[in-house]
Amino acid sequence: MTWKRLGTRAARLVVYASAVGAFLIVLLFLVSYVRYGRVIRKLEQGGLTHTTSVYAAPRWLEVGEEITAGDLIEDLKLAGYSIEREGDLALRIVAPVNGEALHIRLVEGRIASIQEAGGKTLEKATIEPPLLSNLSEQQRQQRYPVRFEQLPTHLVNAVVAVEDKRFFRHMGFDPFRMAMAAYVDLKEGRKQQGASTITMQLARSIWLGRQKKWGRKIEEMLLAMQMEAKLPKKKIFEYYANELYLGHRGPFSIHGFAAASRVLLNKKLDELRLEDAALLAGLGQAPSLYDPLRYPERARQRRNLVLALMRENEFITEEQRQQAAAAPIRTPNFNTYEVTAPYFVDYVMDELQRRHPRWEEEGEAARVYTTLDLRLQRLAEQAVELEMKALDKRFRGKDRPQVALVAIDPRTGGIKALVGGRDYRESQLNRARALRQPGSVFKPFVYAAAFGSGMNGGAALTPASTVLDEPTQFVFNRQVYEPGNFNEIFGGYVTLRRALASSLNVAAVKVAEMTGFEKVAGLARRVGLNVQPTPSIALGAYEATPVQITAAYVPFVNRGRYRSPKSVSMVLAWNNEVRYRGPDEDRTVMDPRVAYLMQSLLQDVVRRGTASGVRARGFKLPVGAKTGTSRDGWFAGFTTELVCVVWVGFDDGRELGLEGSKSALPVWTAFMKRAHELSPYRRAGKFDAPAGVTRGIIDPTTGLIANEFCPARSEELFLAGSEPGPCNRHSIETPAFPSVAAEAVLSPAPAAVLQPAVVTDPPR
């Protein structure tokens, strides 16, 4: 065979091989186009695949709203807005995601005007909700998405220098770099050289995983070509900067440079220096290996390599390189790392899974909008940290007790703040959802059932009705039940108002017995509590969670209407399709007049009962509340704007050994005082009486309408038609009966006077 013929055959083989190779490449491209085309189209529309972003509630700003410049700036900072002052009382704000700008002017502590950048005047505007967390494949992530324009130039240049210096010039893959990597791998006999461009790395992190093999490299290349054809370079870099895995802290993975900057350096992106940008850019290759907290020397060497590459590519001068390379590695203390509402985010995901298991389809991006007020959440976390540290001193080095706090908007049922423990990094157990005996915080439902029983043919019990509080044995189902009072102190004959204010146990069980245990249990079930009709129901023996107790107190504020606790407002798919809306359960569970009586009685608990520490700690707004002590400490209370419950105890169920007034009350008060300094919660006021409630002057020793000879008098509320008769114990011949010291004595009034409850002040 001649050389000419051999050359011809060789040429044909090359042509055939090239044709087959081209066909396979086209086939692979088509397969990848079909397989990944849909998700790439999602990227075009702005949604990262397989990720779920969880947001707090949006914030409305309205013309005329009362708010200080400091409060407004704090709200905007929490939402990630850029803020520029335009004079002493004017602000220009820029949204973190869509980049929209607003001009806001304040006059005398109120919003005077809101204008769009084009000059259009608005009556109200929505502030973008702050991002709480980002989840991927059921794993918690810290991620703060940013636009390309928000990335510092030094950071972009550092990433390009170390990862892909021809990024802004190639079409998705770099043949020169791939050829060099292949040569080194063949020479060394193993796969160790990286040849991936930034676009290929993005494709791998979203869809393909991190396994190194040439077959996967071809798939990366084909995907990268599709992305380059569909997306501009800046958008690809933006996705990369938000998606890149950059390490772990506790139970969270860190994705994106904005999150890494906050977690590792305690800085926002616009605060990064050149050396900081080089440090972050160097993490991408091996985040664990170059972690600046664990391995500062390795991190320094890697950072300086990035600086050298930046100098080689003429992004910086030699003087800049030397100054940055000489800078020490500075990282914040690990304990200063702030996690945003982690227990609440867990609660949200659990609720979605329970109520709507198919809410998240595989591979779909989603945005979950929640009810959380991030301002209140921060205040709740601060109150827990401060007051629980003070409580630790009582235990002198023993195990620290745990805590839960839940705050709900009584009008909507929306959870505005939720703390499930002292440190999520130490324990992910969410105590806000843990079942514990609520103790005396359950007692208000006994009295509410008693007041409502008269409307259904039962005994007409009123706040002025008296009960004998003394050691008593109760027989139920042939079993003897003998409760005791705190410190074994008994009050004798007391009104129901006094019995609740002093949290008398025997009196509560007697009231439940007179009302009917089944009626008490029926009311409890209507407010979401799982109980049984037994004598111990009156003392909170049946377990409930802090979330359930908080929701159960809502009807006291909401005119007898129960709103189921809600953490999710709405879930949107990547294409803005509504995938799920949160529950909106709204039902009447008690008469509005009964709810008002309970507001009055629970205000008395604060004024002169077991919850008086609220006033001693400086909280002056109208408030109703109840302490609770079982093995744990509880405190439940409300204003017209917010219902809040705090639980304190040990995870293993040991006795806390402290009343709710000494354990949970301080946390509750610290939170509620600061919460009501914010808009709209600062508008909390008096509780309005519904029609059908009357007032009368009673003798508190008898519970009857006072006459002119009664030695003690106090004002009381009644459901119209349930008023007691006139006092028949005292007359001009009878000696003065000792007044009850705990009751406020009013000025003399005509005997048996009843009048409509037009004044909304609670009786004293």
Side-chain angles (χ1 to χ4, degrees), residues 41 44 111 127 318 445 519 590 658 727:
R41 286 194 295 274
E44 288 184 87
I111 296 177
I127 298 302
E318 177 59 24
F445 303 103
K519 289 182 179 179
M590 69 178 68
L658 287 176
C727 178

Side-chain angles (χ1 to χ4, degrees), residues 418-606:
L418 186 149
V419 178
R422 299 181 66 164
D423 192 333
Y424 187 83
R425 292 163 298 189
E426 291 182 0
S427 171
Q428 288 81 59
L429 175 64
N430 193 346
R431 288 91 183 166
R433 300 192 68 180
L435 288 165
R436 306 298 288 253
Q437 288 186 344
S440 293
V441 294
F442 181 85
K443 286 178 181 174
F445 303 103
V446 174
Y447 291 86
F451 300 150
S453 64
M455 295 181 292
N456 299 312
L461 294 173
T462 75
S465 299
T466 58
V467 62
L468 179 58
D469 181 56
E470 65 178 3
T472 305
Q473 289 184 340
F474 299 87
V475 179
F476 184 81
N477 284 345
R478 299 181 180 179
Q479 293 184 338
V480 175
Y481 179 63
E482 187 172 8
N485 282 351
F486 183 71
N487 287 336
E488 294 303 313
I489 298 174
F490 296 89
Y493 280 101
V494 293
T495 63
L496 268 57
R497 177 181 292 274
R498 172 82 181 281
L500 182 60
S502 300
S503 199
L504 301 176
N505 291 341
V506 173
V509 179
K510 285 190 174 183
V511 172
E513 184 179 51
M514 288 187 289
T515 303
F517 297 129
E518 187 58 58
K519 289 182 179 179
V520 175
L523 173 59
R525 290 167 186 150
R526 291 198 296 275
V527 297
L529 303 178
N530 184 17
V531 298
Q532 297 299 321
T534 65
S536 62
I537 188 178
L539 306 185
Y542 294 98
E543 294 182 332
T545 71
V547 170
Q548 290 173 332
I549 293 295
T550 312
Y553 267 64
V554 163
F556 296 142
V557 188
N558 201 28
R559 290 181 172 265
R561 298 191 68 82
Y562 173 81
R563 301 300 300 260
S564 59
K566 181 169 69 172
S567 61
V568 177
S569 298
M570 180 172 54
V571 178
L572 294 181
W574 60 275
N575 60 357
N576 290 327
E577 176 186 347
V578 177
R579 187 176 295 163
Y580 171 77
R581 291 188 185 276
D584 195 20
E585 185 180 356
D586 180 7
R587 63 178 186 267
T588 298
V589 296
M590 69 178 68
D591 189 284
R593 297 171 296 168
V594 172
Y596 182 69
L597 293 188
M598 293 309 305
Q599 291 171 2
S600 174
L601 264 66
L602 290 169
Q603 287 181 85
D604 247 17
V605 178
V606 174

